[in-house]
Amino acid sequence: PMMTDTSSALGNLKMMQAMIFAAGLGTRLKPITDTIPKALVEVGGETLLHRVIMNLKNAGASRIVINVHHFAGQILDYLRANDNFGIDIKVSDESDRLLDTGGGIKKASRFFSGDSPVLIHNVDIISNVNLRKFYDCGRTADATLLVSSRETNRYLLFDDDMRLKGWTNLQTGEVKSPYKDIDVQTCRMLAFSGIHVISPSLLRMMDAFPEKFGIMDFYLKECAGADIRGWCKSDLRLMDVVKLSVLHDADAFVRNLNKE
């Protein structure tokens, strides 16, 4: 019996669960998204959703939750037609109301087992990240955010130990942080990728939040008390397929990734 207990504990330790954000309206991909959801837009001959599902499955995810809103029925039909790609997939339905990123996770949290972290992945992100390695590195903190140093207006702020301290918009000068005396100039400024790992303990802290809220607002509110860290990938190659002008580049990007 002892052996069974140990092996099941090890099984839990290795279990990987994930969530894909697929509820967005995809307004910047109009007119394509006038008739299909962003998740079913094709890049390099594959839908964005299929690409993320397979990356997560290959990384060892045993359960994936997908939130839906815009053309939700099309995503359900697509999953059914492909027999859920041979993996345990649950759908968190936000057809009635979009709950933003934090509210989406909070609503979906009932589908997750309470003893292992959840990897969160935007459906429109294509990257060269080893998701298994990132997930395993993300086990030690309350949340781990994949970041990189790239040109943008909005940056997350970290200390030398890569603990999250705040956020800034360089264009407007706005700063959000629980630390009143934060000095932006002494922080490491890194850009968020849309991929992160969140622990069960932090999921439970969402109970105090409203039905609809942004995940970044949650992280920025809790980072003084919780251990929320950045994981910087120096050779990160990432494309955010959010607007029409990117679609053509995305095909070439995928071809190059496949060659690596």
Side-chain angles (χ1 to χ4, degrees):
M2 282 300 290
M3 282 183 67
T4 319
D5 291 346
T6 312
S7 59
S8 68
L10 285 171
N12 284 341
L13 189 66
K14 289 193 171 69
M15 181 185 161
M16 178 179 179
Q17 43 189 2
M19 178 174 182
I20 302 172
F21 284 142
L25 300 172
T27 43
R28 287 185 287 171
L29 282 169
K30 283 174 169 283
I32 300 173
T33 46
D34 287 335
T35 51
I36 61 168
K38 177 163 64 173
L40 297 187
V41 170
E42 289 198 6
V43 169
E46 275 182 75
T47 66
L48 289 169
L49 183 59
H50 176 248
R51 195 172 286 285
V52 179
I53 288 173
M54 295 316 290
N55 283 347
L56 288 166
K57 184 180 177 180
N58 293 336
S62 49
R63 165 165 294 183
I64 299 174
V65 177
I66 300 170
N67 72 341
V68 295
H69 171 84
H70 186 54
F71 292 125
Q74 287 189 34
I75 295 178
L76 293 173
D77 291 345
Y78 177 73
L79 292 170
R80 209 173 292 123
N82 289 284
D83 201 21
N84 282 355
F85 298 96
I87 189 169
D88 177 15
I89 291 180
K90 299 280 186 264
V91 172
S92 182
D93 192 346
E94 295 178 30
S95 295
D96 295 342
R97 181 187 184 213
L98 268 175
L99 301 176
D100 205 344
T101 46
I105 296 170
K106 181 179 175 178
K107 179 170 183 175
S109 63
R110 67 185 190 278
F111 292 118
F112 297 120
S113 95
D115 52 10
S116 49
V118 180
L119 189 149
I120 316 281
H121 199 303
N122 289 358
V123 79
D124 51 20
I125 298 287
I126 304 170
S127 79
N128 65 341
V129 178
N130 178 330
L131 293 175
R132 181 78 228 186
K133 183 180 172 190
F134 175 61
Y135 182 77
D136 289 340
C137 288
R139 286 181 172 281
T140 49
D142 292 320
T144 304
L145 285 53
L146 181 71
V147 292
S148 65
S149 52
R150 60 182 163 89
E151 289 282 309
T152 179
N153 288 319
R154 294 182 292 275
Y155 285 104
L156 292 176
L157 305 171
F158 297 91
D159 67 13
D160 290 341
D161 292 328
M162 289 300 286
R163 275 196 67 159
L164 181 65
K165 293 292 180 180
W167 169 96
T168 188
N169 182 329
L170 293 183
Q171 215 167 18
T172 62
E174 186 188 359
V175 176
K176 290 181 186 174
S177 171
Y179 300 94
K180 297 287 171 270
D181 55 351
I182 188 168
D183 179 359
V184 173
Q185 299 310 314
T186 61
C187 295
R188 296 184 66 175
M189 290 198 280
L190 295 159
F192 181 47
S193 68
I195 303 173
H196 41 131
V197 174
I198 187 166
S199 68
S201 58
L202 221 52
L203 286 175
R204 288 190 284 274
M205 288 168 73
M206 289 183 174
D207 292 347
F209 277 69
E211 189 187 18
K212 178 177 181 172
F213 63 98
I215 188 62
M216 203 46 77
D217 292 329
F218 172 78
Y219 285 152
L220 291 168
K221 192 163 192 282
E222 301 298 339
C223 67
D227 185 13
I228 300 173
R229 293 186 183 257
W231 193 76
C232 191
K233 183 171 167 60
S234 55
D235 62 341
L236 179 65
R237 300 191 43 220
L238 182 137
M239 182 167 266
D240 197 349
V241 188
V242 288
K243 48 183 194 275
L244 278 181
S245 59
V246 172
L247 263 184
H248 174 70
D249 299 335
D251 285 333
F253 182 82
V254 164
R255 276 198 303 277
N256 288 329
L257 274 193
N258 291 341
K259 284 179 198 160
E260 285 180 8

